[in-house]
C-alpha cells in the first residue's frame, strides 16, 4: 500500500479545520503539521496527533511535510505562498489567491519560475454536481448557452465578524470572501468574462466593506450573466444552503444558479434539466424537467485527493494559480465598476506577461 503523503495546514480556523477533516477521510494523505499562532487553536490541533508550530518559520525549519495548505486570512496568502515556493513546497492556497491581482501575479510568477505546483482552493469545482453540470453542457443538452444567473444571499451574524476583525476591513466583504466562489463557477461553466458592470452598497453595520452587490457580466462566449450577493439578507438562495456541502448550514430544497440555453435550462445545485419535447423548442409545447444523476462525494476530500495526485504523480492542477488569478480579476473589476460607476473591460492575461512579472 502506498505511503500516505504528509500535508501541513497553516491556519486552524473554520476552514483549516475542514481541511483537517478532509485529510482524515483521504486514504492517500495524512495531517503532518498545523501552523497556528493562537494558543487555543494550537491545543485543539495537538489533539489530532500532529506536530504544531506557532509560525511558518518554525515549520519550515523542522520540515516534515510534502505539501502545504494555506487557510490563513486573505491578506497573508501571497507572503506565505511565496515562503512555501521558496522552500520548494507545493501549496494549495485558499480562495481568493490574493487580495489584489497584482500580488497574485507575483506569486504565480515565483511558483512557475521555481517549478512548484500552486493550486487555489475553489473547491466547488470538485463537487460532482458541478462535474455533472459541465458534462451536460458539453453534451449539448442545453444547446447554445445564452444566460447564467447566480444568487448568493445569506445573513452572517454579528458574532462572525466579532470573531475576526479582518472580516470588517476592505477586501473582506461578501464580494471577495463569498462571491469569488460563484464567479469561479460561472467562469468554469460559461467561459471567460470580458466585461463587468456592478453596483454595491456599503455595510449597514458600519464596516469598511460592502454588504450587498450585483453585477452584469458579459462572457466571451456570448453568454450574459447576472449575479447578486449579500451577507445581510435572510434568504435560502445561496450555494451554502442548497448544495449540502457542509452540515453547518441548514439545507433547503432551493436552487441558486440558473443556466439557460437554446435547447434547455439547468438549475443548480438540484441538477434539474428543463426541456421541451423531442421537437424544436416552443413555449406553447409542454416542458418538463429531468433530474441528472451525479456521484455523492465530498468536494473537499476530492480536492485533497487531487492535491495528492499533483504532489505524488505530477498531475496538472485543476484550479491553478492562473485560474485563481482570472477569477480574482473579475472580482476586482466588480469592485472597481461599483466604485467608479462604469463598465470595466477584461482581457485574458497573456502567459508571457504572467510568467515574467514580479
Amino acid at each position: 500500500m502506498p505511503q500516505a503523503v504528509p500535508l501541513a495546514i497553516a491556519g486552524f480556523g473554520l476552514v483549516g479545520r475542514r481541511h483537517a477533516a478532509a485529510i482524515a477521510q483521504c486514504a492517500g494523505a495524512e495531517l503532518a503539521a498545523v501552523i497556528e499562532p493562537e494558543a487555543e487553536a494550537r491545543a485543539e490541533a495537538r489533539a489530532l496527533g500532529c506536530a504544531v508550530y506557532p509560525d511558518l518559520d518554525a515549520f519550515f525549519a523542522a520540515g516534515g511535510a510534502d505539501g502545504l495548505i494555506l487557510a490563513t486570512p486573505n491578506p497573508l496568502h501571497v507572503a506565505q505562498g511565496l515562503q512555501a515556493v521558496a522552500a520548494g513546497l507545493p501549496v494549495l492556497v485558499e480562495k481568493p489567491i490574493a487580495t489584489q491581482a497584482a500580488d497574485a501575479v507575483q506569486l504565480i510568477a515565483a511558483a512557475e519560475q521555481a517549478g512548484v505546483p500552486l493550486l487555489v482552493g475553489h473547491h466547488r469545482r470538485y463537487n460532482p454536481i458541478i462535474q455533472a453540470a459541465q458534462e451536460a453542457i458539453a453534451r449539448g443538452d442545453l444547446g447554445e448557452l445564452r444566460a447564467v444567473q447566480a444568487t448568493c444571499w445569506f445573513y452572517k451574524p454579528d458574532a462572525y465578524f466579532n470573531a475576526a476583525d479582518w472580516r470588517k476591513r476592505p477586501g473582506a466583504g461578501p464580494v471577495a470572501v463569498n462571491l469569488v466562489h460563484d464567479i469561479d463557477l460561472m467562469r468554469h461553466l460559461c467561459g471567460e468574462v470580458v466585461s463587468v458592470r456592478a453596483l454595491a452598497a456599503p455595510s449597514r453595520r458600519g464596516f469598511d466593506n460592502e454588504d450587498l452587490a450585483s453585477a452584469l457580466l458579459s462572457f466571451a462566449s456570448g453568454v450574459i450573466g447576472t449575479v447578486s450577493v449579500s451577507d445581510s439578507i435572510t434568504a435560502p438562495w445561496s450555494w451554502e444552503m442548497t448544495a449540502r456541502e457542509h452540515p453547518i448550514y441548514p439545507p433547503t430544497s432551493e436552487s441558486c444558479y440558473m443556466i439557460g440555453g437554446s435547447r434547455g435550462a439547468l438549475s443548480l445545485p438540484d441538477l434539474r434539466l428543463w426541456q421541451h419535447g423531442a421537437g424544436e423548442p416552443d413555449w406553447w409545447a409542454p416542458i418538463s424537467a429531468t433530474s441528472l444523476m451525479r456521484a455523492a462525494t465530498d468536494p473537499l476530500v476530492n480536492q485533497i485527493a487531487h492535491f495528492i495526485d499533483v504532489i505524488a504523480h505530477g498531475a496538472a492542477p485543476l484550479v491553478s494559480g492562473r485560474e485563481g488569478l482570472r477569477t480574482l480579476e473579475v472580482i476586482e473589476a466588480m469592485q472597481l465598476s461599483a466604485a467608479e460607476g462604469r463598465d470595466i473591460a477584461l482581457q485574458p492575461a497573456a502567459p508571457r506577461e504572467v510568467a515574467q512579472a514580479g
Side-chain angles (χ1 to χ4, degrees):
M1 181 176 179
Q3 187 174 1
V5 174
L7 300 178
I9 300 172
F12 205 61
L14 292 174
V15 176
R17 288 176 172 87
R18 289 194 70 196
H19 281 297
I23 290 171
Q25 296 178 60
C26 186
E30 66 176 358
L31 180 60
V34 167
I35 302 94
E36 170 57 52
E38 297 294 331
E40 184 176 345
R42 286 203 303 272
E44 293 182 31
R46 287 192 186 95
L48 299 178
C50 63
V52 179
Y53 304 95
D55 54 48
L56 281 175
D57 289 339
F59 163 70
F60 287 127
D66 291 348
L68 175 65
I69 299 170
L70 290 180
T72 48
N74 300 347
L76 301 179
H77 287 178
V78 170
Q80 293 178 338
L82 288 170
Q83 282 186 268
V85 168
L89 197 62
V91 58
L92 168 60
V93 184
E94 260 304 327
K95 60 78 201 169
I97 185 174
T99 56
Q100 296 182 333
D103 295 333
V105 169
Q106 180 186 7
L107 175 56
I108 293 165
E112 290 183 349
Q113 185 173 3
V116 174
L118 172 63
L119 291 74
V120 183
H122 287 290
H123 71 274
R124 293 181 189 174
R125 293 203 194 188
Y126 300 87
N127 194 311
I129 295 170
I130 296 304
Q131 293 165 352
Q134 190 176 36
E135 290 168 2
I137 291 170
R139 282 196 305 266
D141 292 352
L142 279 67
E144 178 190 357
L145 293 191
R146 301 302 312 281
V148 59
Q149 180 174 314
T151 304
C152 185
W153 292 352
F154 43 79
Y155 198 98
K156 291 178 180 175
D158 290 345
Y160 169 88
F161 300 99
N162 294 334
D165 192 61
W166 67 270
R167 293 170 176 167
K168 305 176 183 179
R169 297 175 185 169
V175 170
V177 172
N178 303 104
L179 192 67
V180 65
H181 272 308
D182 303 282
I183 293 295
D184 187 70
L185 287 187
M186 293 170 82
R187 287 187 52 248
H188 185 54
L189 296 173
C190 301
E192 295 296 353
V193 177
V194 295
S195 72
V196 176
R197 182 62 182 260
L199 295 170
S203 167
R204 298 188 68 184
R205 305 184 218 211
F207 302 152
D208 296 327
N209 48 46
E210 81 289 339
D211 70 359
L212 169 65
S214 294
L216 179 66
L217 310 174
S218 177
F219 291 77
S221 61
V223 170
I224 292 177
T226 53
V227 63
S228 179
V229 63
S230 176
D231 60 10
S232 63
I233 292 177
T234 299
W237 303 298
S238 67
W239 185 263
E240 288 82 358
M241 296 179 72
T242 59
R244 302 172 188 261
E245 278 188 353
H246 191 3
I248 195 173
Y249 300 106
T252 73
S253 58
E254 301 295 314
S255 285
C256 58
Y257 301 159
M258 290 187 289
I259 305 172
S262 58
R263 300 200 64 85
L266 183 66
S267 57
L268 298 173
D270 63 1
L271 281 173
R272 299 187 76 194
L273 175 64
W274 289 88
Q275 295 174 315
H276 290 288
E280 290 298 309
D282 182 345
W283 70 342
W284 288 341
I287 189 168
S288 60
T290 301
S291 295
L292 302 181
M293 301 298 293
R294 51 99 174 183
T297 55
D298 186 332
L300 277 176
V301 176
N302 296 342
Q303 181 177 243
I304 293 296
H306 175 66
F307 191 27
I308 295 302
D309 198 25
V310 170
I311 294 169
H313 306 294
L318 176 62
V319 189
S320 66
R322 290 173 180 267
E323 280 292 291
L325 169 63
R326 186 58 181 169
T327 293
L328 180 58
E329 287 175 334
V330 179
I331 293 295
E332 280 194 351
M334 279 188 62
Q335 294 167 328
L336 182 61
S337 175
E340 299 186 356
R342 63 184 179 92
D343 293 351
I344 304 297
L346 285 160
Q347 296 296 328
R352 287 194 301 272
E353 292 175 1
V354 172
Q356 296 173 0

